Amino acid sequence: MLGERIPEKSKRKKSMNQKQKREVLDSAAVQFIGGWKPGRIGSQPRRYSSVLHLQPGRRFTLTATAGPDTGKVFEIDRARVVIGRTNGEIVLSDSEASRNHAALEFDGEVVRLVDLGSTNGTFVGGERIESIRLGNYGEFQVGNTTLMLTITDVYLPGLRASAGSARSSL
């Protein structure tokens, strides 16, 4: 058809489909003190207002209260710990847990539990989560294992006691 105008290719970039977005986000990484962490929660990029860090004057532990590792206590000594069956800082002997199942991220007083795309999911109060804030004695389930986060005050000379602490500063 003579004289018919051929439409110009759109100058606008085509939007990525969900799979392409996940691939880009999965490959992204954010550096922090102590190593690398994935750059996403679900399909959204994670943005951090500060560098992750443990709050001074506090001790953090995870206790397995149910499942194959019942009674085990895991000391947390870094701002981000990965929980999993074979990889990570906290290794569970639970066949229902993924290799890299979930992570705990500490940003001062805020503790966040993040599912790392596990097959069987991470649950808090019976609800499957992608990311949730945890408090002292917060319980969550990874595979068949129930874990409880415990936060205790530790006396450090020269550090003021936190609000609600029984200790007073000298």
Side-chain angles (χ1 to χ4, degrees):
M1 303 197 216
L2 292 168
E4 185 176 319
R5 186 167 181 204
I6 300 172
E8 288 182 35
K9 286 187 177 179
S10 173
K11 291 182 182 179
R12 213 173 67 166
K13 290 183 179 180
K14 289 184 178 180
S15 64
M16 290 190 280
N17 64 32
Q18 287 296 91
K19 184 179 178 184
Q20 290 169 325
K21 286 180 185 177
R22 281 195 193 103
E23 287 171 358
V24 168
L25 293 173
D26 283 342
S27 66
V30 179
Q31 187 177 20
F32 80 109
I33 296 171
W36 293 89
K37 62 185 162 193
R40 71 176 186 90
I41 296 177
S43 62
Q44 297 298 317
R46 296 202 326 233
R47 302 201 186 347
Y48 295 96
S49 59
S50 62
V51 174
L52 294 176
H53 65 284
L54 290 173
Q55 185 179 19
R58 297 282 173 102
R59 188 173 98 198
F60 302 91
T61 57
L62 269 184
T63 305
T65 58
D69 294 308
T70 300
K72 282 190 180 177
V73 178
F74 303 94
E75 294 276 334
I76 298 171
D77 61 355
R78 54 184 58 183
R80 183 175 192 271
V81 293
V82 174
I83 304 163
R85 185 179 70 237
T86 57
N87 297 334
E89 291 78 24
I90 298 176
V91 178
L92 303 174
S93 56
D94 184 344
S95 62
E96 296 298 312
S98 295
R99 281 181 239 137
N100 291 305
H101 197 102
L104 284 172
E105 298 177 343
F106 297 82
D107 190 4
E109 293 183 18
V110 177
V111 181
R112 185 155 295 282
L113 172 66
V114 180
D115 185 85
L116 299 176
S118 64
T119 303
N120 294 326
T122 303
F123 294 83
V124 173
E127 300 281 328
R128 188 172 183 152
I129 60 100
E130 285 187 16
S131 176
I132 193 167
R133 187 174 175 171
L134 281 182
N136 195 17
Y137 302 115
E139 284 191 323
F140 60 96
Q141 189 171 351
V142 169
N144 290 323
T145 303
T146 301
L147 297 163
M148 180 176 64
L149 174 69
T150 307
I151 305 168
T152 53
D153 287 333
V154 176
Y155 174 72
L156 296 175
L159 184 68
R160 284 190 58 208
S162 63
S165 174
R167 294 188 184 94
S168 62
S169 60
L170 298 175

